[in-house]
Amino acid sequence: MMGLFGHLSKYVFRKWYALALTIVCISISTYITIYIPQLSGKVIKDILEIGDQALLTSLVLQMIALTALLGVISFAQRYANGYFAESVVYEIRNDAFRSIQRQSFAFFDKIDTGQLMSRATTDAERIGRFLGWQLRMVVDSSFLLVGVVISMVLIDLDLTLLAFPLVLLLFIDFAIYGKKVRPVIHTARERFGGLTAILWENITGMRVVRSFVREDYEKQKFQKPSREYYDLMVRSVTLSSFFIPMSGFITGLVTAVIYWYGGTQVINKRLTIDMLFVFGAYVLLLTRPMRMLGMVWTSYQQMAAAGERVFEIIDAMPEVKENPNAITLPPIKGHVFFEDVSFGYNKDRLILNNINLEAKPGETIALLGPTGSGKSTVIRLLPRFYDATSGRILVDGYDIRDVKIESLRKNIGAVSQEIFLFNMTVKQNIAYGNPKASMDDIIRVAKIAKAHDFIEKLPNGYDTIVGERGITLSGGQQQRIAIARTLLMDPRILILDDSTSSVDVDTEYEIQQALGALLKDRTTFVITQRISTIRNADKIVVLENGSIVEEGTHESLVAKKGAYYEIYQTLYEAQKETLQEDLRSINLQGGDGSTPKPEGDGSE
């Protein structure tokens, strides 16, 4: 619990003035609340004993004035407390988002998107609700409890000793309820996060679900956690249905006992009727803080569960950490060297084993190999999405762990086959990595990526909203915008992970021709299955089971008739028709018309 209080206190102290104003207002309103029953008692006494009309009028006017003042104080109290609570939640939510932004990719490998969304939104709001009216109720109830008990003792000690143990039962009732409901609510929040993750995945993958007619499967997958969440919430309702009505019974019991004993005291002339009325009013006031403290205790249990989940995100430390003495990477040429690099997502199981790979400035390196060979892992290590388990990666002689991550990634541009476009305009998506870019520069890179023509035909041109994840565009259009986005960054190092997989042959040829001039002065790592791209690489690297098994040019590796030769022949057979279309495109645009036929294909 101290950990939770420590976290919250950091945010509370930032807005101490709003909390202080809330407490001052509560103090004033508590005094007025306690004083009003005494006025009521005087009214009863004046009516029954004195019969003073003028005094009665004066007392009633006082009550009206105090009630009006109480309303003003209540407004100030609620506003100050609401401002305080919303300010704290605002900062907690922002800190959670900042923490998510700085996390390494390994963090997202371990937690569902739905869980993150639930913790940063719903759980943060639950903290806000507690710091809002519930925390106000704690202070208000505590002040009221002390004031009422003192006032009751001053009226009649015996009645107070009789009432207080009975009223204490209210607090015990809600305390037990809170203890029982907390684990239920905590587990329910976890299940709700899982539900959100399934819902998010299903909505974003709806086309795949429909294409493979898996609606029933998805319904069943959703049904199990939905049922678990339902059962937990029913359990919560069952607990509240028992304990909360119990508080009503206790309140009624206390009132009955007090009026029985107090009435006896009035009959025996040991207590006046106005004092019994005031005492009865105080008993009802006393049940309020007892009941509220019990309810707040329950809410605290729920908030504590939510707080643990939120602060777990805020406290999470990224696995890829920046060296405190890291320097800003100066302008680079793009000389990349992997030196004895090994890596495993789990340190007990390596994905890469002793990778030694050099890419000189301006070279294009094609990474080839079967699924799971480690191709994508190699390029994920370069921008420090993950850190190598052993060995080091150098860029122009600088160990990438010794330079600031931001300066490293600004020199690396990546386009993958998994394109993500934001629900913004085409122009904003292209300029995402360079928001200050001019319109001329945006159009220039769009033309290079062969995207300008289709963009111009969109309803609003460059100002067209692409929809969530670029849903209004075809796969090829999305990839060309992604390529333009990367080119606008003007990086010295390019990573192209099957970046032309969703474009047709003609468009791919156009993009490759356009990229040719740009790649001349940039170091480029390419992962692709397309022969036309592989053949043009300065160096081809073949990986198997996380190790480099072959390395060289297309011609030298074909001549060796090893692993690359076998892969190339397989790709050639699969892409024979595509290659013929490629040749026709080349001939139409003035190419030499040579056929990229692999040696040893049976024509010798």
Side-chain angles (χ1 to χ4, degrees), residues 479-550:
Q479 284 190 309
R480 278 177 276 178
I481 288 177
I483 290 171
R485 178 171 61 189
T486 301
L487 294 177
L488 190 60
M489 289 178 60
D490 193 25
R492 305 313 305 164
I493 300 171
L494 278 175
I495 295 174
L496 306 177
D497 186 356
D498 216 0
S499 59
T500 59
S501 62
S502 295
V503 298
D504 54 42
V505 174
D506 291 338
T507 303
E508 182 192 15
Y509 176 73
E510 290 177 356
I511 293 175
Q512 293 296 343
Q513 290 292 100
L515 291 177
L518 289 170
L519 301 187
K520 190 179 299 180
D521 297 323
R522 290 173 171 78
T523 306
T524 306
F525 292 85
V526 181
I527 296 177
T528 184
Q529 297 290 317
R530 294 206 168 178
I531 289 176
S532 56
T533 304
I534 297 170
R535 285 173 58 90
N536 292 329
D538 297 299
K539 185 187 295 182
I540 298 168
V541 177
V542 183
L543 291 97
E544 288 183 4
N545 299 319
S547 299
I548 296 177
V549 294
E550 284 188 346

Side-chain angles (χ1 to χ4, degrees), residues 53 90 117 200 204 245 249 262 279 338 352 393 411 454 472 586:
Q53 182 67 41
Y90 170 77
M117 292 172 62
W200 166 260
T204 55
F249 170 74
F279 193 91
F338 287 73
L352 298 178
I393 302 172
N411 281 283
F454 83 77
T472 62
I586 294 172

